[in-house]
C-alpha cells in the first residue's frame, strides 16, 4: 500500500500549485477573508471549492482491483476500477472556511462529478464527498482562526469516513475490502497533509497583504513623524520642500511633489529642472484631485508635461485634506505605470491622510495666536501625534492576530479624532457626546495596557443632556493614564462617575495610581505645568475653562494621597442646561 503514497504526494503537488495560482486573484482572497458571505458570494465559493474537488478527482491515480495495477490519470473508469485521489482537500477547505452550506455544496458538485465517472465505488464516493463537506462544516468556527492541526485531522477524518462508506456500500464487499487495504492509509495520510498545506497557502496569501499593509503603515508613520516639525508650520513652500525631501529619501520613486490649490509648492527628484516650485498647476489630473478629493493614477498623457525629454511617465496624486477640505495634493512620480504597485498606493494614501492631520494641527496652532476663545479652540484641536503613532502601532500589531479587534480600535480612533477636530467648531457639547469621546479614548488605551486596565462607569442617564465645554472630561482621564497608573504593572483601575444631584451634575474621575505629594497637589490645576507627555490641554487649561464657562463653583476639586491614587471632580450647575450649542 505504501507504493501509492509517494505518487499521491506527487499529484498533491498539482493541487497545491493550482490552489496557489487561484489565491493570487484579489477577489478570491477577499472572498475567503470575509466573515459573512451574501448569496452570490456563497455560490461563487461553492463553485470554486467544487472545482477543487473535481481537479482532485482528475489528478487521482486509478486502481484496477482485477489486475491490481495502478493507472495514470482518472478520466474514465471501468467497472472494476477506483480512484486514489485528493478530492477531499477542496471539500474540507470549503466546509472549514465557509461552514455547512459551502461545504455540502462543494461536496455535492465534486460528488456528482465523481459518480459520473463510474466505477464500482462511484456511488459510495459521491455520497462520501457530501458527508465530507458536512463534517468539515461542523468544525467551522466563524470567529476563531483555523489551525493547521485542525485541517490535518479533518482531512484525514473525512477520508477515513470515505473508506468506511466504500466498505458499507460498494459491491462486492471482497473487492471493496481489497481496495481499502490498498489505498486507504495512503489516501488518509496524503489528504490530511494536503488539507493542512491548502490552509497554509491560504493563510500565507492573506497574511501577505496584511504584512504589506503593516509595513506601509509603519513607513507612513515614520515619514509623518519626520515631517511633523515642518508641516505643523502650515502648507508653505519651505515646509513642503523639506517634507518632500524627507519622503523622497525614504521612498523609491522618481520624484515627489506637493501643491496647494493653485501652485506647485515643491518638487524633489527627477525633472526638477522644469517642474519647479512657484509655477501654476498645469495638470488636469491634479485639478481633478483638488476638485473631487479622491486619489487618482495619472498616465503619461495626463501629466501634461510640455518638456520633450521629461522622464516622468506616470504619477499617483493624492489629496491633502484639512477638515475634509482639500488644501493641496501630494504626488508620487514614477517612470512608468508598471512601477505603481498596490503597496505604493497604500503608502501614499496613508501618508496623505497623516500629513492632512499635521496640517490640521498647524491650523490649530495658528489659532492660538488669536483671542482667548480662539486660543481655547486651538487647544481643543491639538492632536497628540505620539498618541496617534502609539495607537496605530497597536492596531498594526493586531491586524494579523486579531483583525476584528484591530478594526474596532480603528473605529474608536476615528471617533476620537473626529471629536477632537469637531471641537474647533463648537463652544458647547452634550455630556453624552463627551462620554462617548472618553470611551473611544479608553478603548484604545485598554488595548495598549493589555488586560491591565479596568474602567468602571457609574452614570445617571438623566445627566447626559447637560451642556459642557468640549474636551473637558477626556484630559482628566488622560491624566490618570499618563501620570496616575503609568508605572503600575497590574490592577490599574479608573472610575468615572456622573451623578445628577439637586445642585447640578457632579463628575468624578478616580484612579488607583501613584498619587501626588501635598506640594504637588497644592499647585496642580492652579498653575500651568509643563508636560512632555500631555496633549497640551492639561488640568490647568481644563480648570480655567470650567471657571470661565461654568463659574467659580465648577473649578476642579482634586484629592490625592501619595501611593493611593487621585480623585478629580467638578460640578456643572443645572442652569447651564439651557445654553445652546
Amino acid at each position: 500500500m505504501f507504493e501509492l503514497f509517494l505518487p499521491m504526494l506527487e499529484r498533491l503537488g498539482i493541487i497545491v500549485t493550482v490552489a496557489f495560482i487561484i489565491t493570487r486573484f484579489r477577489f478570491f482572497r477577499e472572498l475567503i477573508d470575509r466573515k459573512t458571505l451574501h448569496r452570490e458570494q456563497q455560490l461563487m465559493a461553492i463553485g470554486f471549492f467544487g472545482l477543487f474537488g473535481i481537479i482532485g478527482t482528475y489528478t487521482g491515480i486509478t486502481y484496477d482491483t482485477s489486475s491490481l495495477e495502478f493507472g495514470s490519470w482518472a478520466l474514465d473508469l471501468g467497472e472494476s476500477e477506483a480512484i486514489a485521489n485528493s478530492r477531499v482537500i477542496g471539500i474540507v477547505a470549503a466546509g472549514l472556511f465557509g461552514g455547512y452550506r459551502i461545504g455540502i455544496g462543494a461536496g455535492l458538485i465534486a460528488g456528482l462529478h465523481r459518480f459520473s465517472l463510474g466505477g464500482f465505488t462511484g456511488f459510495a464516493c459521491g455520497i462520501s464527498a457530501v458527508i465530507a463537506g458536512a463534517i468539515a462544516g461542523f468544525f467551522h468556527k466563524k470567529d476563531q482562526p483555523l489551525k493547521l492541526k485542525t485541517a490535518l485531522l479533518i482531512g484525514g477524518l473525512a477520508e477515513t469516513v470515505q473508506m468506511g462508506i466504500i466498505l458499507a456500500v460498494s459491491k462486492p464487499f471482497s473487492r471493496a475490502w481489497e481496495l481499502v487495504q490498498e489505498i486507504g492509509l495512503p489516501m488518509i495520510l496524503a489528504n490530511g497533509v494536503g488539507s493542512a498545506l491548502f490552509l497554509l497557502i491560504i493563510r500565507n496569501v492573506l497574511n501577505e497583504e496584511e504584512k504589506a499593509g503593516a509595513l506601509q503603515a509603519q513607513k507612513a508613520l515614520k515619514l509623518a513623524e519626520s515631517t511633523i516639525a515642518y508641516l505643523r508650520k502650515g502648507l508653505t513652500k519651505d515646509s513642503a520642500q523639506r517634507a518632500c525631501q524627507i519622503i523622497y529619501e525614504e521612498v523609491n520613486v522618481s520624484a515627489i511633489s506637493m501643491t496647494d490649490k493653485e501652485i506647485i509648492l515643491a518638487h524633489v527628484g527627477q525633472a526638477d529642472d522644469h517642474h519647479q516650485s512657484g509655477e501654476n498647476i498645469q495638470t488636469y489630473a491634479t485639478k481633478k484631485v483638488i476638485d473631487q478629493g479622491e486619489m487618482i493614477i495619472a498616465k503619461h498623457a495626463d501629466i501634461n508635461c510640455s518638456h520633450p525629454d521629461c522622464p516622468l511617465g506616470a504619477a499617483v496624486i493624492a489629496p491633502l485634506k484639512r477638515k475634509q477640505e482639500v488644501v493641496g495634493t501630494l504626488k508620487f512620480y514614477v517612470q512608468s505605470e508598471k512601477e505603481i504597485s498596490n503597496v505604493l498606493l497604500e503608502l501614499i494614501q496613508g501618508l496623505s491622510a497623516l500629513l492632512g492631520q499635521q496640517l490640521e494641527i498647524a491650523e490649530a496652532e495658528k489659532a492660538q495666536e488669536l483671542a482667548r476663545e480662539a486660543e481655547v479652540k486651538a487647544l481643543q484641536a491639538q492632536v497628540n501625534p505620539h498618541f496617534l503613532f502609539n495607537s496605530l502601532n497597536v492596531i498594526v500589531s493586531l491586524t494579523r492576530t486579531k483583525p476584528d479587534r484591530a478594526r474596532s480600535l480603528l473605529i474608536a480612533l476615528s471617533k476620537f479624532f473626529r471629536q477632537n477636530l469637531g471641537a474647533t467648531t463648537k463652544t458647547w457639547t452634550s455630556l453624552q457626546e463627551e462620554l462617548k469621546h472618553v470611551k473611544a479614548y479608553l478603548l484604545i488605551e485598554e488595548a495598549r495596557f493589555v488586560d491591565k486596565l479596568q474602567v468602571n462607569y457609574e452614570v445617571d442617564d438623566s445627566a447626559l443632556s447637560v451642556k459642557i465645554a468640549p474636551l473637558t472630561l477626556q484630559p482628566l482621564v488622560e491624566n490618570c493614564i499618563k501620570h496616575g497608573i503609568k508605572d503600575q504593572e497590574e490592577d490599574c483601575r479608573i472610575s468615572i462617575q456622573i451623578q445628577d444631584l439637586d445642585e447640578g451634575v457632579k463628575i468624578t474621575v478616580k484612579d488607583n495610581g501613584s498619587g501626588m505629594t501635598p506640594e504637588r497637589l497644592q499647585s496642580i490645576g492652579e498653575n500651568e505645568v509643563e508636560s512632555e507627555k500631555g496633549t497640551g490641554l492639561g488640568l490647568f487649561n481644563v480648570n480655567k475653562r470650567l471657571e470661565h464657562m461654568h463659574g467659580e463653583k465648577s473649578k476642579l476639586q482634586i484629592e490625592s494621597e501619595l501611593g493611593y491614587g487621585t480623585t478629580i471632580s467638578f460640578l456643572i450647575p443645572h442652569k447651564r442646561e439651557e445654553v445652546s450649542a
Side-chain angles (χ1 to χ4, degrees), residues 42-55:
Q42 287 181 349
L43 293 175
M44 288 177 61
I46 289 172
F48 265 103
F49 285 116
L51 177 62
F52 266 111
I54 293 174
I55 293 173

Side-chain angles (χ1 to χ4, degrees), residues 270-283:
Q270 297 180 16
D272 58 357
D273 57 332
H274 58 278
H275 287 260
Q276 297 179 345
S277 63
E279 295 182 350
N280 291 330
I281 295 173
Q282 302 293 330
T283 310

Side-chain angles (χ1 to χ4, degrees), residues 324-340:
Q324 304 304 314
E325 178 188 357
V326 178
V327 295
T329 64
L330 173 65
K331 304 182 185 181
F332 281 21
Y333 286 101
V334 292
Q335 293 183 350
S336 69
E337 288 184 68
K338 295 180 180 180
E339 298 180 34
I340 301 176

Side-chain angles (χ1 to χ4, degrees), residues 387-398:
F387 172 71
L388 172 62
F389 300 148
N390 291 337
S391 301
L392 288 177
N393 279 330
V394 170
I395 293 169
V396 165
S397 69
L398 291 173

Side-chain angles (χ1 to χ4, degrees), residues 79 82 114 119-125 127 162-177 179-180:
E79 180 60 30
R114 170 62 188 90
F120 79 100
T121 62
F123 181 67
C125 291
I127 294 174
Q162 178 173 256
M163 295 300 112
I165 294 174
I166 289 174
L167 290 174
V169 175
S170 300
K171 304 297 182 183
F173 178 80
S174 59
R175 183 182 294 175
W177 172 247
L179 174 68
V180 170

Side-chain angles (χ1 to χ4, degrees), residues 137-291:
F138 176 78
F139 289 93
H140 167 69
K141 304 295 182 183
K142 182 178 180 181
D143 300 320
Q144 296 180 14
L146 188 57
K147 299 179 180 179
L148 292 177
K149 180 180 178 181
T150 302
L152 176 67
L153 294 177
I154 302 307
L157 174 62
E159 198 58 59
T160 302
V161 171
Q162 178 173 256
M163 295 300 112
I165 294 174
I166 289 174
L167 290 174
V169 175
S170 300
K171 304 297 182 183
F173 178 80
S174 59
R175 183 182 294 175
W177 172 247
E178 182 183 344
L179 174 68
V180 170
Q181 283 184 306
E182 190 66 34
I183 72 172
L185 186 58
M187 285 186 63
I188 291 171
L189 293 175
N191 285 303
V193 172
S195 298
L197 284 176
F198 187 89
L199 172 61
L200 183 62
I201 292 172
I202 295 293
R203 180 185 293 177
N204 286 342
V205 169
L206 296 178
N207 287 345
E208 261 183 32
E209 201 167 87
E210 293 177 359
K211 184 177 180 181
L215 291 175
Q216 294 313 307
Q218 290 177 346
K219 180 176 283 190
L221 287 171
K222 178 182 177 182
L223 291 172
E225 192 168 13
S226 300
T227 58
I228 191 169
Y230 305 110
L231 288 183
R232 286 184 69 172
K233 299 176 183 178
L235 191 59
T236 65
K237 287 185 178 181
D238 180 64
S239 64
Q241 177 69 27
R242 292 178 180 271
C244 285
Q245 187 65 46
I246 292 171
I247 298 171
Y248 180 71
E249 292 173 357
E250 293 290 335
V251 182
N252 185 26
V253 292
S254 299
I256 301 289
S257 178
M258 274 191 192
T259 75
D260 59 15
K261 297 174 73 171
E262 297 179 355
I263 66 171
I264 301 172
L265 296 175
H267 183 96
V268 177
Q270 297 180 16
D272 58 357
D273 57 332
H274 58 278
H275 287 260
Q276 297 179 345
S277 63
E279 295 182 350
N280 291 330
I281 295 173
Q282 302 293 330
T283 310
Y284 170 75
T286 304
K287 295 178 180 178
K288 183 177 179 181
V289 171
I290 294 172
D291 291 338

